């Protein structure tokens, strides 16, 4: 296979970006868990997630407008390589600025937990397996469609880059707002009850996103599905940190990230191969992919209910997990 010029460099850049994002994802949850307790943990996780998603709103708005601003300044096409490259350079600069405040943080002085057998060992394997299994289903389902939502919406409805950026920006803002109401739901339904209720309510909107005939319906579904499905992440992470031994928390974050990235990548490759094969037309390809995503999200909900919620109700996970 003959690669086009610059393709290997672009893939290398994507690999480095993924490595950096993975390192941040692995370290974030254990750090917040070790510096919080049962009373404050859900609030801390949800506020951090809301701030991240709210920043995504600004980033999507900026990213959608940058190619047009570049085109107005240089006279180039908004879809040209130069316009897209400018947007990516601005994104890289913002990422670099975001790391500067962390230079003033002091490391945690909590002593290491006794009984740790090694950096890669897991003390509570059954609980770890129960907690990370749903991630595989979500990663496979999301990887099949979410990376290609811009392709899907643009190809189906023919909207511009600027409109796509605005659309995804408002989706991020809706997610941030939904994240902020999670502590209220947790107080009424419990952590796992809130996760199950919110994720189950997102499934009808996924159906609407993949099969609705009008742009306004797809837009509504995009807002609601993204907000509901993504809003449960901090609550589930907070729950996982609460039931795991402190020594297992970093391994949970690492394992969760690896499984998410691996299943996402596998599904994305399969999705791209299906569309590249040319067996079906554009609409049929995405109908198949959205049906697969729906099936995987149903598997995720069942895995949480059967593997985590029911054992939690019986007291099994709390008995295995360490208290703070």
């Amino acid at each position: 296979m003959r690669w086009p010029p610059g393709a290997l460099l672009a893939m290398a850049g994507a690999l480095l970006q993924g490595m950096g994002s993975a390192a941040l994802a692995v370290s974030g949850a254990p750090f917040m868990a070790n510096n919080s307790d049962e009373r404050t943990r859900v609030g801390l996780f949800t506020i951090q997630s809301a701030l991240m998603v709210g920043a995504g709103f600004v980033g999507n708005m900026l990213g959608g407008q940058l190619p047009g601003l570049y085109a107005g300044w240089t006279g180039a096409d908004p879809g040209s390589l130069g316009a897209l490259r400018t947007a990516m350079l601005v994104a890289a600069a913002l990422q670099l600025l975001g790391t500067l405040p962390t230079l003033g943080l002091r490391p945690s002085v909590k002593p290491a937990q006794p009984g740790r057998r090694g950096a890669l060992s897991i003390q509570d394997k059954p609980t770890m397996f129960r907690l990370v299994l749903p991630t595989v289903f979500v990663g496979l389902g999301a990887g099949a469609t979410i990376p290609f939502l811009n392709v899907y919406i643009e190809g189906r409805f023919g909207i511009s880059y600027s409109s796509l950026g605005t659309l995804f920006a408002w989706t991020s803002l809706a997610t941030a707002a939904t994240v902020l109401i999670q502590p209220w739901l947790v107080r009424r339904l419990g952590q796992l009850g809130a996760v199950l209720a919110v994720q189950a309510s997102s499934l009808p909107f996924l159906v609407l996103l993949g099969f609705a005939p009008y742009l306004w319906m797809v837009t509504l579904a995009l807002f609601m599905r993204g907000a509901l499905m993504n809003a449960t992440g901090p609550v589930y992470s907070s729950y996982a940190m609460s039931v795991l031994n402190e020594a297992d928390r970093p391994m949970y974050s690492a394992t969760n990230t690896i499984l998410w990235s691996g299943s996402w990548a596998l599904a994305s490759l399969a999705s791209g191969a299906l569309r590249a094969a040319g067996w079906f037309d554009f609409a049929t390809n995405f109908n198949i992919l959205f049906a697969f995503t729906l099936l995987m999200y149903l598997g995720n909900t069942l895995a949480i209910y059967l593997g985590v919620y029911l054992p939690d109700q019986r007291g099994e996970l709390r008995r295995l997990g360490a208290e703070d």
Side-chain angles (χ1 to χ4, degrees), residues 138-177:
V138 176
L140 288 173
T145 54
I146 303 304
F148 311 107
L149 281 180
N150 57 339
V151 176
Y152 167 69
I153 296 174
E154 181 189 12
R156 187 171 177 189
F157 300 104
I159 67 176
S160 66
Y161 282 118
S162 176
S163 298
L164 275 174
T166 302
L167 183 61
F168 285 106
W170 284 104
T171 302
S172 298
L173 190 62
T175 301

Side-chain angles (χ1 to χ4, degrees), residues 139-145 147-148 262-280 285-286 288-289 292:
L140 288 173
T145 54
F148 311 107
S263 56
W264 175 290
L266 180 63
S268 297
L269 287 172
S271 175
L274 175 66
R275 290 181 292 110
W279 296 335
F280 308 103
N285 275 325
F286 276 100
I288 294 171
L289 294 173
F292 175 78

Side-chain angles (χ1 to χ4, degrees), residues 243-322:
V243 299
L244 285 170
N245 296 306
E246 184 178 329
D248 281 342
R249 290 170 180 172
M251 276 303 297
Y252 167 79
S253 290
T255 303
N256 208 48
T257 300
I258 291 169
L259 290 175
W260 166 264
S261 301
S263 56
W264 175 290
L266 180 63
S268 297
L269 287 172
S271 175
L274 175 66
R275 290 181 292 110
W279 296 335
F280 308 103
D281 58 27
F282 181 89
T284 303
N285 275 325
F286 276 100
N287 286 344
I288 294 171
L289 294 173
F290 275 107
F292 175 78
T293 297
L294 178 62
L295 183 63
M296 292 298 100
Y297 280 14
L298 284 170
N300 161 70
T301 302
L302 287 174
I304 294 176
Y305 179 75
L306 297 176
V308 185
Y309 178 79
L310 291 182
D312 179 86
Q313 294 296 297
R314 295 192 294 263
E316 297 174 7
L317 297 188
R318 289 290 177 179
R319 197 161 53 243
L320 290 169

Side-chain angles (χ1 to χ4, degrees), residues 128-138 236 256 259 300 303 307:
M128 183 74 73
F129 177 77
R130 294 173 188 269
L131 290 170
V132 301
L133 178 61
T135 298
V136 177
F137 290 105
V138 176
Y236 190 77
N256 208 48
L259 290 175
N300 161 70

Side-chain angles (χ1 to χ4, degrees), residues 100-246:
L100 296 180
T102 65
L103 299 178
L105 294 177
R106 295 180 179 271
S108 174
V109 295
K110 294 182 72 173
Q113 191 180 57
R116 188 68 171 167
R117 295 185 299 273
L120 299 179
S121 64
I122 299 174
Q123 294 183 359
D124 189 354
K125 294 182 177 64
T127 300
M128 183 74 73
F129 177 77
R130 294 173 188 269
L131 290 170
V132 301
L133 178 61
T135 298
V136 177
F137 290 105
V138 176
L140 288 173
T145 54
I146 303 304
F148 311 107
L149 281 180
N150 57 339
V151 176
Y152 167 69
I153 296 174
E154 181 189 12
R156 187 171 177 189
F157 300 104
I159 67 176
S160 66
Y161 282 118
S162 176
S163 298
L164 275 174
T166 302
L167 183 61
F168 285 106
W170 284 104
T171 302
S172 298
L173 190 62
T175 301
T178 308
V179 166
L180 289 175
I181 70 171
Q182 295 305 299
W184 178 83
L185 287 175
V186 168
R187 288 194 295 271
R188 284 153 179 78
L189 302 176
Q191 292 185 61
L192 292 177
V195 169
L196 287 170
V198 173
Q199 287 192 357
S201 65
S202 75
L203 298 179
F205 293 104
L206 178 61
V207 175
L208 198 63
L209 177 62
F211 301 98
Y214 304 111
L215 178 60
W216 70 266
M217 297 175 72
V218 170
T219 300
L220 174 64
L222 183 68
F223 289 167
M224 296 302 298
R225 187 223 65 87
L228 293 171
M229 194 67 190
N230 295 326
T232 60
V235 177
Y236 190 77
S237 293
S238 173
Y239 172 81
M241 295 295 108
S242 297
V243 299
L244 285 170
N245 296 306
E246 184 178 329

